[in-house]
Structure formats: structure tokens, C-alpha cells
Amino acid sequence: METTTTPSHGILSEDRREEREELIGMLEKAYWMELETVMSYLANSINPDGVRAQEIKESLEEDVQEELGHARQFGARIKELYGVVPGSLEFQAEQRYLQPPEQQTDVVHVIKGVIEAESGAIEYYNRIIEFCEGRDLVTQDMVIDILRDEEGHRRLFEGFLREYQAEGLA
Ligand SMILES: [Fe+2]
Ligand SMILES: [Fe+2]
């Protein structure tokens, strides 16, 4: 009977173990970033008050689903790379800028927080994409797709901010 073997080429091979583990570490961080974003956007899709807040709330409600989908993709890729999706006790929060504002009508605070979160994701995902170059094109392909979503989110909220800036409110 033939024994099962790991692939001899590519990121799943035994002699690429070290690189694979480094990549898994990066994917774990991305996974946590997405889940923290889910928490922050969920709160900010509920808290804001006022007529002008409605658009922001609806947009964040949609984003919650997208960011959750990203977390799911990062988790699945961790598993495919022979890693284990971490448990909640390993989570460490970092998004100070997305905590609820003092006044729930302070929509600008929320918009700026979202832009900062998206910028952080864009920066980090670019680093993962660079790391994957010549190492793991499957992960790279996945993260490029996710990066595009984050660029779209960022652009949308930049547009919201411009409107407030044009009126001298930000
Ligand atoms: Fe995301
Ligand atoms: Fe996003």
C-alpha cells in the first residue's frame, strides 16, 4: 500500500515548513483584524444617531457581512496550510480609533475610524501579498481579492468624509 505523502513542491512541501509557518502567522493576524473590524462595524452600524447617520449605518451593516466573509477566507486558508484557526482567548483588541464617540451624532468620528481601519488592512494585506510573491500564489490571489474589497470600502468612506469636509464639518 502506498503511503500518503505531502506535496514535494510549493508551500505545502516539508522543506517549506518555516515559510509556511511564517505565512500562517500573518494570516492569523489578518483573521483577527477582520474579526475586530466586524465587532467595530457592528457597534457603529447600531450606535449613531441622526438623519445623516443612516447612510453610514446601512453601509457598515453591509460591510459587517463582507468582513466576516474575509475572516472566513483567512481561516480556511490557515487550515489549508496545515495551521489551526486560533481560539478567542488569543484575541487582542487594537482598534482604539473605532470606539464609540462621546456623542452618538458624531458621525465624522466613525467615518475617520473606518478609514483608519481600512488603511491598516490595506497596508497589511499589501505586505502579505509581497511575502507571497514567488512563495504561495494561491494565498496571494485570495488576498489580492480581499485587498480590492478594502480599497473599495476605504474609497466609499473617503467620499463620505469629503462631503463633510466640503461643508466645513470635518
Ligand atoms: Fe476585510
Ligand atoms: Fe473593509
Side-chain angles (χ1 to χ4, degrees):
M1 215 174 93
E2 262 183 287
T3 50
T4 51
T5 53
T6 50
S8 57
H9 291 289
I11 194 70
L12 295 179
S13 63
E14 186 50 37
D15 53 350
R16 305 279 297 281
R17 175 182 286 275
E18 235 169 79
E19 279 167 88
R20 190 165 64 239
E21 276 166 8
E22 195 177 343
L23 179 57
I24 288 170
M26 295 175 100
L27 296 177
E28 282 174 359
K29 182 176 159 66
Y31 172 81
W32 289 131
M33 285 169 78
E34 294 291 349
L35 284 182
E36 186 171 15
T37 301
V38 167
M39 282 192 270
S40 295
Y41 288 6
L42 180 60
N44 285 295
S45 73
I46 297 169
N47 283 333
D49 279 323
V51 182
R52 314 189 68 147
Q54 289 314 305
E55 192 76 31
I56 307 294
K57 289 164 75 172
E58 276 166 34
S59 177
L60 286 175
E61 224 167 85
E62 273 177 39
D63 282 356
V64 165
Q65 299 307 323
E66 273 199 49
E67 309 298 9
L68 182 60
H70 294 162
R72 196 176 282 127
Q73 288 185 74
F74 281 119
R77 191 61 187 153
I78 289 168
K79 185 180 172 77
E80 285 162 3
L81 293 172
Y82 303 133
V84 175
V85 181
S88 58
L89 287 180
E90 283 180 48
F91 176 68
Q92 279 185 325
E94 288 176 0
Q95 293 180 347
R96 295 187 188 286
Y97 47 86
L98 263 173
Q99 304 309 301
E102 269 177 32
Q103 302 295 326
Q104 298 316 311
T105 49
D106 186 357
V107 178
V108 171
H109 169 90
V110 176
I111 295 171
K112 286 182 173 169
V114 170
I115 292 173
E116 187 154 351
E118 297 295 345
S119 300
I122 288 167
E123 227 170 86
Y124 195 59
Y125 298 170
N126 269 297
R127 275 176 54 194
I128 299 179
I129 289 164
E130 276 167 34
F131 182 86
C132 287
E133 186 65 39
R135 288 187 167 112
D136 178 1
L137 299 181
V138 175
T139 299
Q140 188 182 55
D141 191 53
M142 180 190 89
V143 181
I144 288 171
D145 275 349
I146 295 174
L147 175 63
R148 188 181 187 180
D149 289 343
E150 313 302 12
E151 287 178 347
H153 296 159
R154 187 178 193 279
R155 181 62 187 87
L156 181 68
F157 276 76
E158 267 179 355
F160 291 145
L161 187 62
R162 275 183 205 178
E163 186 183 316
Y164 281 85
Q165 283 166 339
E167 295 170 29
L169 296 170

